[in-house]
Amino acid sequence: MNKSVIFEKLLIKQQLNPTQFLLCLSHLNHVVYLKNLNHPVIALFASEYMLIQNQKIQKFNRTSLNQYQQNAESIDFNHFFKKSLQNSHSDFNGGLIGFISYDEAAQQQVNIRSKNQPSLFLGIYYSYIKLTDQGWTFFSYEHDAEAIFQVIQEALQDKDKQNKNHQTFTLTQPCTARWSQHQYVTAFKQVQDYIRAGDCYQINLTQEFTAKAQGLLLDTTEAFWQLTDAPYSGYLKIDDFELLSCSPELFIDFEADRKITTKPIKGTMPRHKDAEQDEQSKQSLIHSKKDQAENVMIVDLLRNDLSVYAETGSVKTPKLFEIESFNQVHHMVSEVTATLREEVNPFHMLMSALPGGSITGAPKIRAMQIIEELEGAPRGAYCGSMGYFNFDGTGSWNILIRSIQKYQDNVSVWAGGGITIASDCDAEYQECFDKVEAMLKLLNTWYKPE
């Protein structure tokens, strides 16, 4: 690959939405999409990729278009980043894209179960498609860029044929909570018992909503992205596994000059159609001492996580308890920044910091042990991270909340919140539904009872 010479060519002027474009490419494997703060990118034809499933690590190299061969060597992240390269873009410009599940991240420190599906995918992409002012434009650093361009053009021309070839997404069972309210109350009380005993200060207790389905989850993506308008949304398909992100939460931005930023969310109130009621909900969150206490616990945890890799004295908290409003909820968001030490590898730092403190609790290791004991099922990709790295070490990774996973015929959605000693059980139970109710309602529109 010649990273200094780029092939650039307009694919289509027509303003296809990302779902329409992804459906045209659905016959290709490990195509990935990131909204990336309104810089949409679709990456395809990974030159190599790493996949972990059931704790088995596999590495593949591309031998020809859409053909891969297993390789015993893993991706060498010690030499992945090229400091001589400077990225003039604020978004993906060729590099690594993928996801790391909560299960895979947590297993670095605690012994937990893993969901029976891919738990990590990391692909190196030299070919990608961006939505530019001219339309969807193809970029590639590969020698066979023209051939790849032709494959994509043919897929776009055959879009009607591609759409007919896949089975339409349908729920064969509605998506419902795996826990009853009584089971949630029992788990909530156990969390508070652990807090009183001094095991922890906060636990992010979550519950799973499950369904059975057939067809491609991809069919639903545009509807979910319109519903949530989430800044860190994305989509990935690996064989019979699909991951749909509607996440509002940034985990870490890796910026120029080794600056890093994390924006933990802790504190949620529902949105309302009535403007006065909506403002009351927002003001309740602004003045909530309980949510501020919860938020600052996670800020302290993340400050500690970042300080391990940061230049001395560089860890700052420029924003505390800011309110960000999304389509369904208001969130309390803080911001922590730091400067990575010169010798720190950005990927190693990301892996070490995962899973994010906002979706575990504090202290983190004991919180993850309690989560494993109480939640009753592995989280899978939920509360993991999805994102990218450029070759110069810049990049952006989210927290996979408001995400939907589909593996074979199993669909999974999760929601939860931080439990402290000041938490009210009924309010916390309701918060789960405030966060996920609109998504569940939309998902269940695909249920077609016989």
Side-chain angles (χ1 to χ4, degrees):
M1 313 291 175
N2 187 346
K3 190 70 177 65
S4 61
V5 179
I6 190 166
F7 177 98
E8 179 179 341
K9 197 169 185 179
L10 181 66
L11 270 165
I12 186 169
K13 290 183 180 179
Q14 180 185 351
Q15 295 298 305
L16 287 180
N17 65 46
T19 297
Q20 291 170 320
F21 210 128
L22 289 165
L23 282 167
C24 294
L25 305 175
S26 62
H27 60 296
L28 303 174
N29 205 8
H30 46 73
V31 172
V32 60
Y33 163 79
L34 298 173
K35 182 180 180 182
N36 190 34
L37 285 173
N38 294 315
H39 292 96
V41 61
I42 296 171
L44 69 173
F45 292 119
S47 62
E48 56 185 295
Y49 69 90
M50 185 166 70
L51 177 69
I52 300 179
Q53 185 167 351
N54 298 325
Q55 299 184 347
K56 180 182 178 182
I57 303 173
Q58 294 178 293
K59 164 74 165 43
F60 295 86
N61 286 70
R62 197 174 87 226
T63 54
S64 61
L65 286 183
N66 216 32
Q67 296 293 318
Y68 290 82
Q69 181 177 315
Q70 193 164 349
N71 188 322
E73 297 179 5
S74 61
I75 296 173
D76 184 1
F77 291 105
N78 289 319
H79 297 94
F80 177 84
F81 299 105
K82 302 172 178 65
K83 292 182 181 180
S84 60
L85 293 173
Q86 291 299 318
N87 183 15
S88 60
H89 303 268
S90 60
D91 58 336
F92 184 73
N93 190 36
L96 182 141
I97 298 184
F99 87 98
I100 301 137
S101 70
Y102 172 88
D103 299 346
E104 185 64 29
Q107 281 171 356
Q108 298 176 111
Q109 297 173 299
V110 296
N111 183 25
I112 69 166
R113 293 163 293 170
S114 183
K115 210 171 184 68
N116 179 29
Q117 62 187 35
S119 59
L120 176 147
F121 171 86
L122 298 170
I124 297 176
Y125 293 89
Y126 291 89
S127 296
Y128 52 96
I129 303 160
K130 286 183 179 178
L131 186 58
T132 65
D133 292 339
Q134 291 73 40
W136 288 100
T137 304
F138 175 69
F139 299 84
S140 180
Y141 295 99
E142 306 206 51
H143 298 304
D144 52 356
E146 185 69 53
I148 295 173
F149 179 83
Q150 292 299 328
V151 169
I152 300 168
Q153 272 210 322
E154 289 168 12
L156 288 169
Q157 291 163 3
D158 292 340
K159 61 180 180 291
D160 293 335
K161 179 181 175 183
Q162 296 292 349
N163 291 348
K164 287 177 182 176
N165 283 344
H166 82 264
Q167 186 179 24
T168 304
F169 181 79
T170 307
L171 289 187
T172 56
Q173 291 177 359
C175 193
T176 56
R178 183 170 52 81
W179 274 354
S180 65
Q181 185 168 1
H182 174 74
Q183 287 172 302
Y184 179 88
V185 170
T186 300
F188 176 92
K189 289 179 177 177
Q190 288 177 286
V191 167
Q192 292 221 312
D193 287 344
Y194 276 123
I195 294 172
R196 290 189 189 95
D199 282 63
C200 54
Y201 310 106
Q202 181 188 117
I203 296 292
N204 196 73
L205 182 66
T206 68
Q207 59 173 319
E208 185 181 27
F209 301 79
T210 62
K212 295 286 186 180
Q214 57 189 15
L216 280 179
L217 181 63
L218 176 57
D219 288 338
T220 72
T221 53
E222 188 60 27
F224 277 105
W225 291 331
Q226 287 183 1
L227 173 73
T228 56
D229 193 27
Y232 299 101
S233 55
Y235 172 82
L236 172 67
K237 179 179 180 292
I238 309 161
D239 297 322
D240 48 5
F241 171 72
E242 291 176 274
L243 175 59
L244 166 59
S245 168
C246 299
S247 177
E249 184 167 2
L250 170 70
F251 181 42
I252 300 179
D253 260 342
F254 293 81
E255 302 165 39
D257 301 318
R258 295 176 289 113
K259 181 184 176 183
I260 53 176
T261 300
T262 183
K263 294 178 68 176
I265 291 175
K266 265 288 166 265
T268 303
M269 287 294 286
R271 299 293 307 268
H272 300 280
K273 291 181 180 178
D274 178 78
E276 185 176 342
Q277 192 178 4
D278 190 58
E279 182 60 27
Q280 287 176 352
S281 185
K282 183 177 179 179
Q283 289 299 320
S284 294
L285 183 58
I286 289 171
H287 299 291
S288 170
K289 297 300 182 186
K290 177 260 181 188
D291 286 304
Q292 289 179 5
E294 215 179 297
N295 193 290
V296 81
M297 283 183 200
I298 300 307
V299 166
D300 287 344
L301 188 157
L302 286 167
R303 285 177 58 88
N304 182 68
D305 281 354
L306 298 191
S307 68
V308 175
Y309 300 97
E311 290 184 352
T312 303
S314 71
V315 180
K316 310 291 183 186
T317 309
K319 295 180 182 178
L320 196 62
F321 312 149
E322 298 262 323
I323 305 301
E324 295 186 7
S325 299
F326 298 89
N327 283 4
Q328 277 78 50
V329 292
H330 301 289
H331 279 313
M332 183 179 285
V333 185
S334 293
E335 180 176 302
V336 182
T337 62
T339 302
L340 278 184
R341 297 199 309 272
E342 185 73 41
E343 72 275 13
V344 172
N345 181 294
F347 179 78
H348 294 160
M349 185 266 158
L350 172 71
M351 289 299 297
S352 177
L354 284 169
S358 66
I359 45 74
T360 58
K364 187 191 281 188
I365 290 177
R366 185 65 184 118
M368 290 189 291
Q369 292 169 339
I370 294 169
I371 286 167
E372 170 68 8
E373 175 192 339
L374 298 183
E375 287 189 346
R379 289 179 172 182
Y382 171 67
C383 289
S385 184
M386 184 179 190
Y388 71 91
F389 275 119
N390 291 304
F391 288 107
D392 66 351
T394 58
S396 184
W397 293 81
N398 72 6
I399 294 282
L400 279 166
I401 57 174
R402 318 291 143 76
S403 60
I404 305 175
Q405 307 167 72
K406 181 178 181 288
Y407 180 61
Q408 298 174 349
D409 65 347
N410 296 301
V411 175
S412 177
V413 184
W414 292 71
I419 310 299
T420 68
I421 198 63
S423 295
D424 175 79
C425 186
D426 290 341
E428 295 293 344
Y429 184 72
Q430 183 57 46
E431 185 177 312
C432 293
F433 288 90
D434 291 340
K435 290 174 175 176
V436 82
E437 188 171 28
M439 290 183 69
L440 284 180
K441 186 176 179 180
L442 176 58
L443 182 59
N444 281 324
T445 63
W446 277 276
Y447 174 53
K448 309 297 181 189
E450 295 181 0

